[in-house]
Amino acid sequence: MATADELKRAAGEAALSHVEDGMNLGIGTGTTTEAFIRLLADKVRDGLQVTGVATSERTERLCRELSIPMATLEELPKLDLTIDGADEIDQSLRLVKGGGGALLREKIVAVASRKMLVIADEAKLVETLGAFPLPIEINGFGMIATYLAIQEAVGELGLSCELILRRRGPEPFITDSGHLILDASFGRIPDPHALSNALLKVPGVVEHGLFLGLADEALVATASGVRHLT
Ligand code: 5RP
């Protein structure tokens, strides 16, 4: 029986064959992506030429430690490929992301990329999105008003959710862009597009972790091999 770490590594390894010499690469955040980054660093040491753009400070630090050439999105505003993890993936390659709190930069980088490849272990595959709490990045100003406005917007869709302010220890979790995160537990999200539109109408919402129409392919590691979803 493969462990979760072995599956993450297998997904990362499969992703390497999608990386071509000379690519400008968006590099995601999370433990699966970290497995990929370590394997990528070996290839770079062996002569592969790529330039990475990180989706978080954490990823930036790891890539630099491992001597992967890095640039900012300002320097490279168009990328060939982004490789990133996910918290949930459905049959239509719709994703919930942001478990690591990097959803805003992850979405900006994914949109700037010609292609987004998701890497994950099979535990991330779901019939319906929503069992994993949906991260919603909000501005700190008027946090309670935003909280109430989200509840109202969600209620108008006939949904309800528990909204919890993410913390790091006793303090609120602060994203790389200086915002807060509300984790919204829906149980299931029957219409992700409707929820996305409703959330983005709330002015204090900066972004949410629903990635709809962004992922082009996914490499999902299972006990019997890596499945390629398109
Ligand atoms: C970070 C993310 C991650 O990609 C997601 O949380 C999956 O992480 P992991 O590979 O550790 O399970 O969206 O914001």
Side-chain angles (χ1 to χ4, degrees):
M1 183 74 180
T3 64
D5 282 349
E6 285 166 346
L7 292 178
K8 286 174 192 188
R9 192 186 150 87
E13 205 151 8
L16 279 181
S17 64
H18 293 250
V19 179
E20 291 166 21
D21 211 46
M23 271 187 165
N24 294 327
L25 209 57
I27 305 182
T29 298
T31 53
T32 316
T33 308
E34 279 175 22
F36 164 73
I37 292 169
R38 291 182 191 283
L39 294 161
L40 179 69
D42 292 341
K43 292 282 176 199
V44 168
R45 221 170 296 123
D46 292 345
L48 178 74
Q49 298 207 359
V50 291
T51 305
V53 169
T55 54
S56 64
E57 303 292 341
R58 172 176 146 191
T59 291
E60 177 83 29
R61 262 195 310 277
L62 179 64
C63 290
R64 288 194 183 277
E65 267 168 39
L66 296 172
S67 303
I68 296 172
M70 299 299 286
T72 64
L73 194 58
E74 278 65 37
E75 289 164 329
L76 293 179
K78 284 285 170 204
L79 303 171
D80 298 301
L81 171 68
T82 282
I83 296 179
D84 201 350
D87 299 301
E88 288 187 332
I89 308 171
D90 77 3
Q91 298 296 328
S92 309
L93 294 184
R94 297 180 296 191
L95 315 173
V96 168
K97 284 185 53 55
L103 61 134
L104 175 60
R105 293 193 185 186
E106 287 173 334
K107 203 174 270 189
I108 293 171
V109 168
V111 168
S113 302
R114 206 157 40 78
K115 188 164 146 184
M116 180 186 191
L117 174 66
V118 180
I119 51 175
D121 58 272
E122 58 189 336
K124 307 292 179 62
L125 277 182
V126 297
E127 277 291 318
T128 308
L129 300 177
F132 190 92
L134 177 68
I136 304 173
E137 184 155 347
I138 63 165
N139 202 292
F141 178 82
M143 184 183 94
I144 306 287
T146 298
Y147 173 100
L148 294 172
I150 291 173
Q151 292 285 19
E152 202 173 308
V154 161
E156 281 169 15
L157 294 177
L159 296 173
S160 66
C161 67
E162 191 189 7
L163 274 180
I164 294 178
L165 179 67
R166 189 179 297 186
R167 294 184 178 276
R168 179 174 275 156
E171 300 299 325
F173 176 94
I174 307 289
T175 69
D176 285 345
S177 299
H179 304 125
L180 302 170
I181 289 188
L182 294 173
D183 286 304
S185 296
F186 288 94
R188 60 193 305 276
I189 300 172
D191 186 344
H193 279 282
L195 180 60
S196 169
N197 292 338
L199 290 175
L200 294 177
K201 280 190 192 139
V202 177
V205 170
V206 179
E207 196 43 87
H208 57 68
L210 285 167
F211 281 49
L212 309 176
L214 291 178
D216 298 287
E217 296 177 34
L219 295 168
V220 180
T222 74
S224 53
V226 177
R227 285 176 63 194
H228 187 185
L229 310 182
T230 54

